[in-house]
């Protein structure tokens, strides 16, 4: 008998089977595609994970996921499906802002911003738990990997159009990875996961920035400003005061050097005495914690159902 902790992002989903003696490794599968049914996706991922490890019984399933926008829908039907399939008797689903927070800060107050393909911040303090941004690439997630990749691709294509800001260095990167720039829009439109493709270009923007491309460096500086704005907003709304501890987690931290100019400038303006704290764990750790902590303080961002 095992439990599953499942962390679902736009690029991939990570599953940690939990046995009586602790974690039993990790499984990775495709993530959540916006427009798909999230509860169907959770059932599919649990089924795949059970097949991979040969589990016939899964007693509890904890999920942290993108695509919930701070409000988890009813999950009674999901529990019924998982009970019929594995005998599951407990399911808890949380917005990924909550699981990122629990993984990075545990039970301590503060702010956590998770920055990967998308971006979401969560502050917890005297005024409660508040969620900032995480609105998706169409209307939010500024400064996230998707946003950086998109800005980089626009600068690359602009180099052929004669628009500004344009980056011949990014154009060279685009054509090296994807072929002729004239064919790229149609190729992207035909991709099954275009958001992931666009976000993947953030690595190229980072490489070119470190090689001295000013347009690319400016994209990362602006990303840092956006992240700083999310941190400051979360701290203020949670009632944390000017000395709020905050942590930045996610794949974008691999380019911390490129984010720092904009991040430091924005925080110097909005949260000058904030204290950067190391994360004590990662989002998948936070998902596992869902099975053992009181989540009532997170309101509609978490929903749990059980059967006797």
């Amino acid at each position: 008998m095992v439990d599953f902790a499942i962390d679902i992002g736009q690029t991939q989903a990570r599953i940690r089977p939990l046995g009586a003696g602790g974690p039993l490794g990790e499984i990775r599968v495709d993530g959540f595609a916006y427009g798909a049914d999230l509860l169907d996706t959770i059932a599919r991922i649990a089924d795949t994970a059970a097949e991979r490890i040969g589990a016939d019984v899964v007693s509890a399933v904890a999920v942290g996921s993108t695509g919930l926008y701070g409000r988890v829908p009813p999950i009674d039907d999901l529990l019924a499906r998982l009970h019929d399939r594995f005998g599951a008797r407990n399911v808890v689903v949380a917005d990924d802002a909550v699981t990122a927070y629990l993984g990075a800060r545990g039970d301590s107050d503060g702010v956590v911003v998770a920055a990967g393909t998308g971006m979401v911040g969560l502050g917890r303090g005297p005024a409660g738990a508040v969620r900032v941004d995480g609105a998706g690439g169409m209307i939010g997630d500024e400064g996230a990997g998707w946003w950086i990749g998109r800005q980089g691709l626009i600068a690359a294509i602009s180099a052929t159009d004669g628009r500004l800001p344009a980056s011949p260095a990014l154009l060279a990167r685009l054509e090296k990875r994807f072929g002729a720039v004239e064919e790229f829009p149609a190729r992207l439109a035909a991709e099954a996961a275009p958001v992931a493709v666009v976000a993947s270009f953030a690595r190229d923007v980072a490489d070119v920035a470190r090689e001295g491309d000013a347009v690319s460096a400016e994209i990362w500086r602006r990303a840092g400003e956006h992240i700083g704005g999310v941190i400051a907003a979360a701290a203020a709304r949670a009632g944390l005061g000017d000395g709020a501890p905050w942590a930045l987690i996610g794949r974008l931290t691999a380019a911390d050097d490129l984010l720092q100019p904009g991040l430091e400038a924005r925080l110097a303006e909005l949260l000058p005495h904030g204290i950067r704290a190391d994360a004590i764990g990662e989002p998948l750790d936070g998902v596992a914690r869902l099975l053992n902590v009181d989540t009532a303080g997170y309101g509609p961002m978490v929903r749990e159902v059980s059967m006797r």
Side-chain angles (χ1 to χ4, degrees), residues 35 66 79 106 165 172 175 187 224 236 242 245 252 255 283:
T66 186
L79 174 61
E175 294 197 311
R187 175 175 176 170
D242 188 32
L252 257 59

mmCIF file with all atom_site columns, all heavy atoms in Angstrom, residues 35 66 79 106 165 172 175 187 224 236 242 245 252 255 283:
data_model
loop_
_atom_site.group_PDB
_atom_site.id
_atom_site.type_symbol
_atom_site.label_atom_id
_atom_site.label_alt_id
_atom_site.label_comp_id
_atom_site.label_asym_id
_atom_site.label_entity_id
_atom_site.label_seq_id
_atom_site.pdbx_PDB_ins_code
_atom_site.Cartn_x
_atom_site.Cartn_y
_atom_site.Cartn_z
_atom_site.occupancy
_atom_site.B_iso_or_equiv
_atom_site.pdbx_formal_charge
_atom_site.auth_seq_id
_atom_site.auth_comp_id
_atom_site.auth_asym_id
_atom_site.auth_atom_id
_atom_site.pdbx_PDB_model_num
ATOM 1  N N   . GLY A 1 35  ? -6.723  23.761 -20.961 1.00 0.00 ? 35  GLY A N   1
ATOM 2  C CA  . GLY A 1 35  ? -7.851  23.381 -21.801 1.00 0.00 ? 35  GLY A CA  1
ATOM 3  C C   . GLY A 1 35  ? -8.290  21.950 -21.539 1.00 0.00 ? 35  GLY A C   1
ATOM 4  O O   . GLY A 1 35  ? -9.432  21.591 -21.835 1.00 0.00 ? 35  GLY A O   1
ATOM 5  N N   . THR A 1 66  ? -0.929  23.288 -11.186 1.00 0.00 ? 66  THR A N   1
ATOM 6  C CA  . THR A 1 66  ? -1.190  24.515 -11.926 1.00 0.00 ? 66  THR A CA  1
ATOM 7  C C   . THR A 1 66  ? -2.603  24.446 -12.493 1.00 0.00 ? 66  THR A C   1
ATOM 8  O O   . THR A 1 66  ? -3.253  23.389 -12.469 1.00 0.00 ? 66  THR A O   1
ATOM 9  C CB  . THR A 1 66  ? -0.164  24.655 -13.065 1.00 0.00 ? 66  THR A CB  1
ATOM 10 O OG1 . THR A 1 66  ? -0.326  25.915 -13.708 1.00 0.00 ? 66  THR A OG1 1
ATOM 11 C CG2 . THR A 1 66  ? -0.352  23.553 -14.106 1.00 0.00 ? 66  THR A CG2 1
ATOM 12 N N   . LEU A 1 79  ? -12.339 11.372 -6.036  1.00 0.00 ? 79  LEU A N   1
ATOM 13 C CA  . LEU A 1 79  ? -12.135 10.365 -4.998  1.00 0.00 ? 79  LEU A CA  1
ATOM 14 C C   . LEU A 1 79  ? -12.849 9.064  -5.359  1.00 0.00 ? 79  LEU A C   1
ATOM 15 O O   . LEU A 1 79  ? -12.292 7.964  -5.191  1.00 0.00 ? 79  LEU A O   1
ATOM 16 C CB  . LEU A 1 79  ? -12.634 10.873 -3.647  1.00 0.00 ? 79  LEU A CB  1
ATOM 17 C CG  . LEU A 1 79  ? -12.606 9.843  -2.510  1.00 0.00 ? 79  LEU A CG  1
ATOM 18 C CD1 . LEU A 1 79  ? -11.169 9.358  -2.260  1.00 0.00 ? 79  LEU A CD1 1
ATOM 19 C CD2 . LEU A 1 79  ? -13.191 10.419 -1.221  1.00 0.00 ? 79  LEU A CD2 1
ATOM 20 N N   . GLY A 1 106 ? 7.314   25.638 4.896   1.00 0.00 ? 106 GLY A N   1
ATOM 21 C CA  . GLY A 1 106 ? 6.712   24.805 5.942   1.00 0.00 ? 106 GLY A CA  1
ATOM 22 C C   . GLY A 1 106 ? 5.633   25.558 6.686   1.00 0.00 ? 106 GLY A C   1
ATOM 23 O O   . GLY A 1 106 ? 4.712   26.111 6.083   1.00 0.00 ? 106 GLY A O   1
ATOM 24 N N   . PRO A 1 165 ? 12.481  46.171 -29.798 1.00 0.00 ? 165 PRO A N   1
ATOM 25 C CA  . PRO A 1 165 ? 13.895  45.804 -29.706 1.00 0.00 ? 165 PRO A CA  1
ATOM 26 C C   . PRO A 1 165 ? 14.170  44.507 -30.476 1.00 0.00 ? 165 PRO A C   1
ATOM 27 O O   . PRO A 1 165 ? 13.367  43.571 -30.410 1.00 0.00 ? 165 PRO A O   1
ATOM 28 C CB  . PRO A 1 165 ? 14.097  45.582 -28.190 1.00 0.00 ? 165 PRO A CB  1
ATOM 29 C CG  . PRO A 1 165 ? 12.759  45.144 -27.707 1.00 0.00 ? 165 PRO A CG  1
ATOM 30 C CD  . PRO A 1 165 ? 11.741  45.873 -28.553 1.00 0.00 ? 165 PRO A CD  1
ATOM 31 N N   . ALA A 1 172 ? 19.661  34.092 -34.303 1.00 0.00 ? 172 ALA A N   1
ATOM 32 C CA  . ALA A 1 172 ? 20.551  32.966 -34.621 1.00 0.00 ? 172 ALA A CA  1
ATOM 33 C C   . ALA A 1 172 ? 20.198  31.746 -33.770 1.00 0.00 ? 172 ALA A C   1
ATOM 34 O O   . ALA A 1 172 ? 20.207  30.604 -34.253 1.00 0.00 ? 172 ALA A O   1
ATOM 35 C CB  . ALA A 1 172 ? 22.001  33.384 -34.396 1.00 0.00 ? 172 ALA A CB  1
ATOM 36 N N   . GLU A 1 175 ? 16.899  30.122 -35.097 1.00 0.00 ? 175 GLU A N   1
ATOM 37 C CA  . GLU A 1 175 ? 17.067  29.338 -36.324 1.00 0.00 ? 175 GLU A CA  1
ATOM 38 C C   . GLU A 1 175 ? 17.911  28.092 -36.083 1.00 0.00 ? 175 GLU A C   1
ATOM 39 O O   . GLU A 1 175 ? 17.711  27.074 -36.744 1.00 0.00 ? 175 GLU A O   1
ATOM 40 C CB  . GLU A 1 175 ? 17.677  30.220 -37.407 1.00 0.00 ? 175 GLU A CB  1
ATOM 41 C CG  . GLU A 1 175 ? 16.714  31.340 -37.807 1.00 0.00 ? 175 GLU A CG  1
ATOM 42 C CD  . GLU A 1 175 ? 17.062  31.990 -39.129 1.00 0.00 ? 175 GLU A CD  1
ATOM 43 O OE1 . GLU A 1 175 ? 18.245  32.338 -39.300 1.00 0.00 ? 175 GLU A OE1 1
ATOM 44 O OE2 . GLU A 1 175 ? 16.140  32.136 -39.965 1.00 0.00 ? 175 GLU A OE2 1
ATOM 45 N N   . ARG A 1 187 ? 5.122   26.471 -37.402 1.00 0.00 ? 187 ARG A N   1
ATOM 46 C CA  . ARG A 1 187 ? 5.595   25.314 -36.636 1.00 0.00 ? 187 ARG A CA  1
ATOM 47 C C   . ARG A 1 187 ? 5.115   25.399 -35.193 1.00 0.00 ? 187 ARG A C   1
ATOM 48 O O   . ARG A 1 187 ? 4.665   24.407 -34.620 1.00 0.00 ? 187 ARG A O   1
ATOM 49 C CB  . ARG A 1 187 ? 7.124   25.252 -36.688 1.00 0.00 ? 187 ARG A CB  1
ATOM 50 C CG  . ARG A 1 187 ? 7.699   24.154 -35.818 1.00 0.00 ? 187 ARG A CG  1
ATOM 51 C CD  . ARG A 1 187 ? 9.200   24.025 -35.977 1.00 0.00 ? 187 ARG A CD  1
ATOM 52 N NE  . ARG A 1 187 ? 9.719   23.025 -35.043 1.00 0.00 ? 187 ARG A NE  1
ATOM 53 C CZ  . ARG A 1 187 ? 10.942  22.560 -35.063 1.00 0.00 ? 187 ARG A CZ  1
ATOM 54 N NH1 . ARG A 1 187 ? 11.788  22.970 -35.993 1.00 0.00 ? 187 ARG A NH1 1
ATOM 55 N NH2 . ARG A 1 187 ? 11.337  21.667 -34.176 1.00 0.00 ? 187 ARG A NH2 1
ATOM 56 N N   . GLY A 1 224 ? 13.105  40.137 -13.443 1.00 0.00 ? 224 GLY A N   1
ATOM 57 C CA  . GLY A 1 224 ? 13.424  40.331 -12.028 1.00 0.00 ? 224 GLY A CA  1
ATOM 58 C C   . GLY A 1 224 ? 12.531  41.383 -11.388 1.00 0.00 ? 224 GLY A C   1
ATOM 59 O O   . GLY A 1 224 ? 12.088  41.237 -10.239 1.00 0.00 ? 224 GLY A O   1
ATOM 60 N N   . ALA A 1 236 ? 2.692   42.556 1.494   1.00 0.00 ? 236 ALA A N   1
ATOM 61 C CA  . ALA A 1 236 ? 1.779   43.609 1.967   1.00 0.00 ? 236 ALA A CA  1
ATOM 62 C C   . ALA A 1 236 ? 0.399   43.046 2.260   1.00 0.00 ? 236 ALA A C   1
ATOM 63 O O   . ALA A 1 236 ? -0.190  43.330 3.314   1.00 0.00 ? 236 ALA A O   1
ATOM 64 C CB  . ALA A 1 236 ? 1.703   44.715 0.913   1.00 0.00 ? 236 ALA A CB  1
ATOM 65 N N   . ASP A 1 242 ? 7.467   45.294 6.589   1.00 0.00 ? 242 ASP A N   1
ATOM 66 C CA  . ASP A 1 242 ? 8.587   45.559 5.688   1.00 0.00 ? 242 ASP A CA  1
ATOM 67 C C   . ASP A 1 242 ? 9.719   44.545 5.808   1.00 0.00 ? 242 ASP A C   1
ATOM 68 O O   . ASP A 1 242 ? 10.542  44.416 4.911   1.00 0.00 ? 242 ASP A O   1
ATOM 69 C CB  . ASP A 1 242 ? 9.124   46.971 5.969   1.00 0.00 ? 242 ASP A CB  1
ATOM 70 C CG  . ASP A 1 242 ? 10.148  47.380 4.945   1.00 0.00 ? 242 ASP A CG  1
ATOM 71 O OD1 . ASP A 1 242 ? 10.024  46.935 3.783   1.00 0.00 ? 242 ASP A OD1 1
ATOM 72 O OD2 . ASP A 1 242 ? 11.084  48.108 5.299   1.00 0.00 ? 242 ASP A OD2 1
ATOM 73 N N   . PRO A 1 245 ? 10.254  37.780 5.408   1.00 0.00 ? 245 PRO A N   1
ATOM 74 C CA  . PRO A 1 245 ? 11.148  36.805 4.767   1.00 0.00 ? 245 PRO A CA  1
ATOM 75 C C   . PRO A 1 245 ? 10.523  36.304 3.475   1.00 0.00 ? 245 PRO A C   1
ATOM 76 O O   . PRO A 1 245 ? 9.303   36.127 3.404   1.00 0.00 ? 245 PRO A O   1
ATOM 77 C CB  . PRO A 1 245 ? 11.248  35.688 5.815   1.00 0.00 ? 245 PRO A CB  1
ATOM 78 C CG  . PRO A 1 245 ? 9.972   35.773 6.585   1.00 0.00 ? 245 PRO A CG  1
ATOM 79 C CD  . PRO A 1 245 ? 9.559   37.226 6.576   1.00 0.00 ? 245 PRO A CD  1
ATOM 80 N N   . LEU A 1 252 ? 13.640  29.110 -12.713 1.00 0.00 ? 252 LEU A N   1
ATOM 81 C CA  . LEU A 1 252 ? 14.248  30.400 -13.031 1.00 0.00 ? 252 LEU A CA  1
ATOM 82 C C   . LEU A 1 252 ? 15.386  30.767 -12.089 1.00 0.00 ? 252 LEU A C   1
ATOM 83 O O   . LEU A 1 252 ? 16.195  31.636 -12.411 1.00 0.00 ? 252 LEU A O   1
ATOM 84 C CB  . LEU A 1 252 ? 13.186  31.512 -13.022 1.00 0.00 ? 252 LEU A CB  1
ATOM 85 C CG  . LEU A 1 252 ? 12.721  31.972 -14.418 1.00 0.00 ? 252 LEU A CG  1
ATOM 86 C CD1 . LEU A 1 252 ? 12.129  30.814 -15.195 1.00 0.00 ? 252 LEU A CD1 1
ATOM 87 C CD2 . LEU A 1 252 ? 11.752  33.120 -14.322 1.00 0.00 ? 252 LEU A CD2 1
ATOM 88 N N   . ALA A 1 255 ? 18.955  31.131 -13.202 1.00 0.00 ? 255 ALA A N   1
ATOM 89 C CA  . ALA A 1 255 ? 19.440  32.381 -13.788 1.00 0.00 ? 255 ALA A CA  1
ATOM 90 C C   . ALA A 1 255 ? 19.333  33.513 -12.775 1.00 0.00 ? 255 ALA A C   1
ATOM 91 O O   . ALA A 1 255 ? 19.021  34.652 -13.124 1.00 0.00 ? 255 ALA A O   1
ATOM 92 C CB  . ALA A 1 255 ? 18.643  32.706 -15.048 1.00 0.00 ? 255 ALA A CB  1
ATOM 93 N N   . PRO A 1 283 ? 8.577   22.044 -4.141  1.00 0.00 ? 283 PRO A N   1
ATOM 94 C CA  . PRO A 1 283 ? 7.121   21.884 -4.199  1.00 0.00 ? 283 PRO A CA  1
ATOM 95 C C   . PRO A 1 283 ? 6.630   20.460 -3.988  1.00 0.00 ? 283 PRO A C   1
ATOM 96 O O   . PRO A 1 283 ? 5.579   20.257 -3.363  1.00 0.00 ? 283 PRO A O   1
ATOM 97 C CB  . PRO A 1 283 ? 6.792   22.386 -5.619  1.00 0.00 ? 283 PRO A CB  1
ATOM 98 C CG  . PRO A 1 283 ? 7.821   23.431 -5.887  1.00 0.00 ? 283 PRO A CG  1
ATOM 99 C CD  . PRO A 1 283 ? 9.084   22.881 -5.267  1.00 0.00 ? 283 PRO A CD  1
#
